[in-house]
């Protein structure tokens, strides 16, 4: 007598309804990219005889107004394709800034609840931005606990913790697929120096610098990557000493960049140079940008711009011609009560005038009179 046939159990079975929902969700997220024009590459005027071009990649034109729109889209696609997000999943993120705003936007597109876990000290304006995109805010007393609380809350709700600080470096296709690096090079194609000497960016999760650094190597570009870091951040000392265990214990005053710990998505080996920029210099730089172009931006843009002028002056000293691209990460209208407020700057103890003088001299003469790079 033959043995009874064994029941075959497919533990990875993906039923038709689940498949249809995920396929539709991926289509919805992809459609957002398809209907959104690429962000602009703006020029900052420099003396023609220098033979140096300075560009700003204006990420503020995304639907949610910041560079983090790219990251949020990539994180959603990554989680959907991995089967981590299904119909009705609650989306949880540890963020009090632009990432939460962008993720709330995509969650609403998919009809999913979104919860941002953030410190109780988060400003009412930031909370309002997240809520305007359909998200809710879960406040915690101790900022250090936002990661653990996010994981706990996602588990309790049967949802998904996006964990931008872990997955940012792998969610984006660094080979191309219209990532930010590919976009920059495409837009430079008809410029005087289509292969820039430097691309300058800050690091919050580290995802953008990882994407750009890997892209440059994969496509065999000679362009160097400079990552800028504000005060109180662990990235610069961790990179300098090759020590990922460094902790500073302090939050960054420059929103969007700088972290008190060395985040998993920051890949130090793809970075050619780091420059630590004083916070007052970052604030002065966005005010200087407004004075010469009329553009307003958040202070993370100022961090990159201040370092870009340092690099411009080095190129002038070496009689090197070429181009530099820095990122304009988000608009200045989010920061009228902080970076553009004289009373706020005074309360922080910032001496903006000295840094404005440094920038003016660099912009008009190509000479660097500022503090040496660290």
């Amino acid at each position: 007598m033959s043995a009874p046939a064994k029941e075959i159990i497919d533990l990875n079975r993906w039923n038709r309804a689940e498949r249809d929902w995920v396929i539709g969700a991926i289509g919805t997220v992809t459609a957002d990219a398809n209907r959104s024009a690429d962000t602009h590459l703006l020029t900052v005027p420099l003396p023609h005889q220098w033979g140096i071009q300075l560009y700003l990649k204006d990420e503020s034109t995304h639907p949610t107004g910041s560079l983090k729109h790219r990251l949020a889209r990539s994180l959603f696609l990554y989680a959907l394709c991995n089967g981590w997000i299904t119909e009705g999943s609650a989306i949880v993120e540890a963020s009090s800034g632009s990432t939460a705003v962008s993720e709330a936007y995509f969650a609403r597109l998919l009809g999913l609840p979104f919860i941002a876990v953030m410190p109780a000290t988060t400003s009412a304006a930031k909370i309002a931005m997240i809520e305007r995109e359909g998200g809710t805010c879960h406040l915690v007393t101790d900022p250090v606990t936002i990661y653990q609380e996010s994981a706990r809350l996602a588990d309790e709700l049967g949802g998904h913790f996006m964990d931008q600080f872990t997955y940012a470096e792998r969610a984006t296709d660094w080979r191309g697929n219209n990532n930010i690096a590919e976009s920059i090079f495409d837009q430079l194609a008809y410029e005087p120096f289509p292969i820039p000497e430097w691309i300058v960016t800050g690091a919050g999760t580290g995802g953008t610098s990882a994407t750009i650094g890997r892209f440059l190597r994969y496509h065999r570009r000679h362009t160097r990557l400079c990552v800028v870091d504000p005060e109180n951040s662990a990235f610069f000392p961790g990179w300098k000493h090759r020590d990922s265990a460094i902790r500073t214990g302090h939050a960054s005053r420059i929103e969007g960049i700088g972290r008190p710990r060395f985040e998993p998505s920051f890949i130090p080996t793809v970075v050619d140079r780091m420059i630590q920029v004083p916070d007052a210099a970052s604030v002065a730089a966005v005010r200087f940008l407004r004075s010469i172009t009329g553009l307003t931006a958040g202070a993370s843009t100022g961090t990159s711009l201040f370092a870009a002028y340092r690099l411009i002056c080095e190129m002038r000293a070496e009689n090197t011609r070429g181009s530099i691209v820095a990122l304009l990460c988000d608009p200045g209208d989010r920061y009228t009560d902080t970076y553009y407020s004289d009373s706020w700057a005074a309360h922080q103890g910032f001496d903006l005038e000295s840094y404005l003088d440094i920038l003016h001299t660099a912009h008009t003469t190509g000479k660097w009179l500022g503090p040496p790079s660290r």
Side-chain angles (χ1 to χ4, degrees):
M1 187 174 179
S2 60
K6 293 182 179 179
E7 181 181 1
I8 298 175
I9 301 175
D10 182 1
L11 297 178
N12 293 314
R13 185 174 62 242
W14 192 15
N15 68 44
R16 182 61 181 266
E18 291 172 338
R19 179 186 294 272
D20 287 347
W21 186 88
V22 170
I23 289 172
I26 292 171
T28 297
V29 175
T30 304
D32 172 82
N34 191 55
R35 66 174 175 267
S36 301
D38 199 359
T39 59
H40 303 306
L41 192 63
L42 308 176
T43 58
V44 177
L46 296 173
H48 178 75
Q49 63 271 23
W50 292 2
I52 298 174
Q53 305 287 323
L54 174 60
Y55 301 90
L56 294 177
K57 179 65 168 164
D58 185 6
E59 295 292 286
S60 72
T61 58
H62 284 295
T64 53
S66 81
L67 171 68
K68 298 300 184 181
H69 195 85
R70 291 183 189 268
L71 173 60
R73 183 191 293 130
S74 294
L75 288 169
F76 267 89
L77 289 173
Y78 189 69
L80 286 164
C81 291
N82 283 335
W84 297 342
I85 296 177
T86 56
E87 186 173 11
S89 294
I91 308 301
V92 182
E93 183 62 283
S95 171
S96 61
S98 295
T99 301
V101 175
S102 298
E103 288 186 3
Y105 167 90
F106 281 105
R108 181 163 60 177
L109 282 183
L110 301 180
L112 303 176
F114 175 79
I115 302 99
V117 179
M118 54 180 58
T121 54
T122 301
S123 71
K126 291 181 186 176
I127 291 173
M129 290 176 64
I130 294 166
E131 291 177 341
R132 189 163 58 245
E133 294 293 346
T136 59
C137 301
H138 179 83
L139 305 180
V140 297
T141 303
D142 183 359
V144 176
T145 66
I146 62 172
Y147 311 101
Q148 297 91 330
E149 181 63 10
S150 296
R152 185 201 66 77
L153 187 60
D155 184 64
E156 178 183 293
L157 297 173
H160 173 59
F161 172 30
M162 291 293 257
D163 196 2
Q164 60 168 323
F165 297 104
T166 295
Y167 296 110
E169 57 89 8
R170 66 198 73 169
T172 300
D173 184 356
W174 45 267
R175 297 168 188 84
N177 196 21
N178 197 34
N179 66 35
I180 190 169
E182 184 175 58
S183 175
I184 287 170
F185 278 91
D186 285 348
Q187 291 176 319
L188 285 172
Y190 299 108
E191 297 299 304
F193 305 102
I195 307 298
E197 291 291 314
W198 292 96
I199 295 178
V200 185
T201 183
T205 61
T208 299
S209 60
T211 297
I212 294 172
R214 288 164 168 167
F215 179 93
L216 294 175
R217 284 157 176 74
Y218 181 74
H219 290 277
R220 302 182 302 280
R221 306 294 190 183
H222 290 292
T223 302
R224 290 169 288 176
L225 173 63
C226 176
V227 173
V228 295
D229 210 30
E231 298 172 17
N232 300 322
S233 175
F235 289 133
F236 176 79
W239 177 84
K240 181 179 180 180
H241 300 293
R242 291 296 191 265
D243 183 1
S244 62
I246 284 179
R247 303 288 187 273
T248 66
H250 299 284
S252 170
R253 290 181 292 187
I254 307 302
E255 185 173 322
I257 61 172
R259 298 292 301 166
R261 71 175 192 178
F262 202 89
E263 299 293 352
S265 279
F266 184 73
I267 310 298
T269 48
V270 304
V271 178
D272 297 293
R273 180 174 178 180
M274 288 198 72
I275 296 177
Q276 191 176 52
V277 175
D279 290 350
S282 298
V283 175
V286 289
R287 295 185 177 204
F288 181 74
L289 177 67
R290 180 177 62 178
S291 72
I292 62 172
T293 67
L295 297 169
T296 62
S300 62
T301 300
T303 313
S304 292
L305 186 63
F306 191 80
Y309 271 107
R310 169 76 193 213
L311 297 173
I312 288 168
C313 292
E314 291 179 1
M315 291 174 65
R316 286 283 295 146
E318 297 164 0
N319 199 28
T320 300
R321 298 162 65 86
S323 59
I324 294 176
V325 179
L327 302 191
L328 194 163
C329 301
D330 60 359
D333 58 11
R334 297 182 175 184
Y335 307 104
T336 55
D337 295 332
T338 53
Y339 306 134
Y340 290 94
S341 166
D342 291 339
S343 60
W344 180 87
H347 182 72
Q348 301 297 319
F350 288 163
D351 174 17
L352 301 183
E353 290 303 320
S354 62
Y355 291 111
L356 287 169
D357 289 342
I358 291 168
L359 289 161
H360 176 75
T361 301
H363 181 74
T364 56
T365 71
K367 294 182 179 179
W368 186 252
L369 302 180
S373 298
R374 295 181 60 186

